[in-house]
Every structure is written in structure tokens, then in C-alpha cells.
Amino acid sequence: MSTPSTIRIAIADDHTVMRSGLAELIRTLGDFEIIMQVNNGLMLLEALARAEVLPHICILDINMPELNGYETTMRLRTAYPQIPVLALSMYENEFSIVKMLRCGAKGFLHKGADPEELLLALQTVHSGSYFHSEMMLINTIRRAGSAQSMNITDRETEFLENCCSDLSYKEIATKMGVSLHTVHGYRDTLFSKLRLKSRTALAVYALKKGVVTD
Amino acid sequence: MIRHIQSPTLLWGLIFMLAGALIVLLLRYRHYIHHAGLQAAATRQYDYEILRIRHEVEREALDLVSHELQDNIGQLLAGSYMQLAIASERLQDRNELRELIGPAVGGIVKSLKALGQLSLVLNAQTVEKMGFIDALEKEFAFIASVYRLDCIFSCTNQVPELNREQDLMLFRIVQEALATICRHTSAQKAVIDIASSGSRIRIHISHNGIPRATNTTHHSDLHHLRERMKLLNGSLAEQTAPGTGGSLILTCNLTT
């Protein structure tokens, strides 16, 4: 039974076992209602076009037949900018996750995420913010202050911008005209300054802080 | 004999005959050497092509495995994880059962993570995109979580610019060397040092396990490694240091 505070969710994933398992798990988490479960992005867009009530959040798998997660997210951003997208990823392949973020996703969730993390992800994207599993750390940074107060140099900012692309570190090094070793240095310095551990967390930080605009 | 030959004409005739015979012999020898050289070069080229084909087949096979791990096995495992997580959530007040399910859930999450790491380093396109060094970092993370082998990496000087094919080949070689160490030495720590000079790269992998395993699979693994090294015009040496472990030294030349 849905109440005004119920968060409505749509899930698009071509793996039926996974999708129904996720829907069931979300139901156990509290005031959530799964209003759509579809196989792919195209079916999701069709369902949304027919829907009388729209979901508050769309959870999308990245690899789907007919219309993949990237394309679906871009179309959702245009047609339904008020609905945040949470990318669902089997594996933490940074290139595909960063690409999803640049397409407009508000965060990504690993398919092996525990229920607490899932709950936090849903609440965070519903509140309009970005989610990353390292977000508690990101929030600490937000409270700590701006990029300037974190002493992030211009070159590190440039590196951060490039982290939000689908370039590998090797390709970033070529683009910035420095060695791979130097790029690793920027990365490690930023990990240390921002207390983060992964490139995807850096990308979420950059998007959240407006270093790059989505 | 020449002293007994009185006629100069006969002498010159003999000299010309000997010279002619020598020239014919030299020509034949040159032809033989040339032919043998060509044959050896052809054999080398044939062996190289066989290795390349094997490398291509392996690439396809590993890509397929990576895809299966990600799209099928992993998804099934993730589905099972979700079901167990639901069961665990519903057993709020039944601690005894939750305690039973807990390790199973933890085990599946760990397997999912390892499958993800493995899928990443098996995929040729991803490895080529990341490049040799970054792919190695991912491999170390996988090995540390599955084999409990702690890998320490150091670069004596900057690794020369590698093309995508060299990135992949070099990575597969180190990946196989590390797998060999994991399988046969019971090591807990491995140190990988890369030094380069021009187009020459030397990778020294030392470990604190059994210095030299004597079983057949170990020999077979080393044989495969040597074969791989040929693709990069390289060689493999094994060193042992009783009491302190052993090491593999991979040397290759990237110009050819």
C-alpha cells in the first residue's frame, strides 16, 4: 500500500532473477514501491510514456539489449529530468561507470551491495544528490570545504576533469602531455587529499563539486 | 707433383681446373648456406605465426570467459545473493538462522568481487585500454583477494611507450608468471620490479615461496611462459635462493 511518502521505483534489467531479487530486496527495506519491472531501456521508455504515475527513481542495468543503460539514461535526462537514474553494475568497470555518470546517472550501485548500501543509495539519489559507495567520505569532504580549500592544484583539477571521461590513465597522460607516472601521482595525491579510493569516486566528487558539469 | 710437371701449359691447365673446382664448391656451399638459412628463417617465421595464432585463439577464449563471468555466472550469483539477502532481512528476530545465512551471503559477495576482478583482467579490450601498468594494478588486486599473495610493484625507470598489442602481450606474460607462482610456490609475497633500457624490458618477479617446484605442471607452465616470451623476442630465466624463495626473470626486446 503506497503512502505519500512512498518512493516509487522502476527497474530495467534483462536478468530476470537479478531484477526480481532486487525488487524483492527493495520492498523489504521500507517505504518503497516497485511500480515497473522491465527487460530493457526501450521497454522502460515505453512504460513511462504510458504511465499515469511516474517513478521517483529509475534503476538501470548498464548492459541491456535493445537500448543500453547509457542511451536510456540520456533519453531519460531529456524527457524526464526530474527522475534520477541509479546505475546498476555487475562489476566495477570504471570506464562504464564513469560513462553512465556522464550520461546523467546520479550514482551507481554494485549488484553485490548490501541492503544498507542499497537503502542509502536510494535515499541519496531521491534527495537529488549523487551516490557513491564512498559517499560518506565525499560528504566529509563537502563539509570540509571547496576544492580551493583542499589545495587542489590546477593540474590536479585538469586531471579530475579527465577522470570524468572514458579515457584510461594512459590516455589521460597522453592528453595532458605528461608521463603515466605523473598521472598516477595526481591520482594518488587526490586520493590522499580527498580521502577517496577509486577513480569512480573521484568522478562522482568532480560532478558533485561542479568541477565538471553533467 | 707440380715439380714433376714439365709443361707450363699443363701446369696452368691444372691450376685452372683446381680453381674451377674450388669455385664450384664455393658456389654450392653458398647455395647450401643460403638454402639452410632460408629454411631456418622460414621455420622461425612458422613458429612465430603458430604462436601468434595461439595468442589470438587465447584472446578470443579469454574474452568469451570474461563475458560469461560477467553476463551469466555473475548475474546468477548476484540473483542468489539478493535472495539470500532478502531471507536474511526477514530473519530479523531469528539470530540463529541469520548467523547461518550470514557467512553464505559474505561468501557470495566475495565471489562476486573476485569474479568482477577476474572478468576485468581477462578482457583483452579492457587491458589494452588500461595499458600494461594499470592492468597490472588490477591483477594484483585480484591475486591479493583470491590467492592472498601480496604483490609489491616497483619501476626502476620509466617503462617505454607500448602499443596496445605489446601492452596486452606483456601483461599476459606477467599474469601467467604470477599465476605460476600462485599455483606452485605457496608464496605470500611477490615483488615485481620492471627495469628498461631503450626497447629492452626486464621484469624481475621474486617471491618468498618454494624456490623451485619440481612437478610436471610447473615445468609445463614455465614452458608456456618461454613460448610466450618468444612473441616479444624475449627469454625467461629462473633463479633460486634457498631459504629466501625464488624468482623469474623475463627479458624482452620490443623493437621486433
Side-chain angles (χ1 to χ4, degrees), chain A residues 84-136:
Chain A
V85 169
L86 189 61
L88 198 58
S89 168
M90 184 68 233
Y91 299 128
E92 295 187 24
N93 182 335
E94 56 200 31
F95 303 120
S96 44
I97 293 165
V98 169
K99 194 171 171 187
M100 270 301 270
L101 292 170
R102 289 313 300 268
C103 287
K106 285 288 183 182
F108 89 93
L109 195 66
H110 183 245
K111 285 188 176 177
D114 61 39
E116 289 77 21
E117 196 179 330
L118 176 59
L119 179 62
L120 189 61
L122 293 171
Q123 288 169 339
T124 308
V125 296
H126 184 241
S127 71
S129 193
Y130 280 96
F131 174 81
H132 188 280
S133 52
E134 294 170 44
M135 72 166 292
M136 300 312 285

Side-chain angles (χ1 to χ4, degrees), chain B residues 1 12 28 34 48 101 145 166 185 204 215 223 235 247:
Chain B
M1 183 183 128
W12 280 112
R28 284 199 161 199
H34 180 67
Y48 184 79
I101 290 179
S145 71
Q166 290 168 336
T185 70
H204 187 180
N215 57 43
H223 173 72
S235 62
S247 55

Side-chain angles (χ1 to χ4, degrees), chain A residues 15 18 21-22 24-25 63 90-91 94-95 111-115 166 168-171 179-180 184 187, chain B residues 69-71 74-75 78 81-82 86 89-90 109 112 115-116 129-130 133-134 137-138 158 162 167:
Chain A
H15 297 94
M18 176 66 221
L22 179 65
E24 197 55 37
L25 184 59
N63 297 315
M90 184 68 233
Y91 299 128
E94 56 200 31
F95 303 120
K111 285 188 176 177
D114 61 39
D166 63 353
S168 65
Y169 288 133
K170 193 181 171 186
E171 290 162 338
S179 70
L180 179 64
H184 283 161
R187 175 195 64 181
Chain B
L69 288 179
Q70 189 163 345
D71 271 12
Q75 299 287 354
Y81 160 70
M82 292 284 174
I86 296 161
E89 284 296 306
R90 285 182 182 161
V109 170
L112 271 173
L115 274 184
K129 184 167 175 63
M130 284 191 289
I133 302 288
D134 285 338
E137 271 190 12
K138 303 282 179 194
Q158 209 166 306
L162 306 174
D167 265 325

Side-chain angles (χ1 to χ4, degrees), chain B residues 4 23 34 47 53 101 134 153 217 220 235:
Chain B
H4 297 289
I23 287 167
H34 180 67
D47 288 346
I53 291 166
I101 290 179
D134 285 338
F153 174 72
T217 39
S220 156
S235 62

Side-chain angles (χ1 to χ4, degrees), chain A residues 10-23:
Chain A
I11 305 173
D13 189 336
D14 58 318
H15 297 94
T16 318
V17 180
M18 176 66 221
R19 193 179 66 224
S20 51
L22 179 65

Side-chain angles (χ1 to χ4, degrees), chain B residues 116-188:
Chain B
Q117 290 168 324
L118 181 62
S119 167
L120 204 68
V121 291
L122 289 184
N123 189 285
Q125 247 186 320
T126 313
V127 170
E128 284 171 347
K129 184 167 175 63
M130 284 191 289
F132 172 58
I133 302 288
D134 285 338
L136 267 189
E137 271 190 12
K138 303 282 179 194
E139 176 70 15
F140 295 162
F142 168 70
I143 283 179
S145 71
V146 175
Y147 293 100
R148 303 260 174 270
L149 178 71
D150 187 20
C151 295
I152 298 167
F153 174 72
S154 70
C155 241
T156 306
N157 43 19
Q158 209 166 306
V159 176
E161 191 72 24
L162 306 174
N163 63 37
R164 290 170 80 92
E165 197 185 10
Q166 290 168 336
D167 265 325
L168 181 65
M169 278 189 197
L170 209 53
F171 173 70
R172 290 279 182 251
I173 285 166
V174 179
Q175 188 178 39
E176 194 165 333
L178 287 171
T180 303
I181 289 169
C182 290
R183 272 198 293 267
H184 304 290
T185 70
S186 311
Q188 280 129 27

Side-chain angles (χ1 to χ4, degrees), chain A residues 59-84:
Chain A
I59 301 178
L60 305 184
D61 188 18
I62 299 177
N63 297 315
M64 291 186 287
E66 305 285 342
L67 200 65
N68 63 31
Y70 311 118
E71 190 65 30
T72 310
T73 306
M74 283 195 287
R75 291 200 197 176
L76 282 173
R77 188 162 71 164
T78 312
Y80 308 96
Q82 75 279 18
I83 306 177

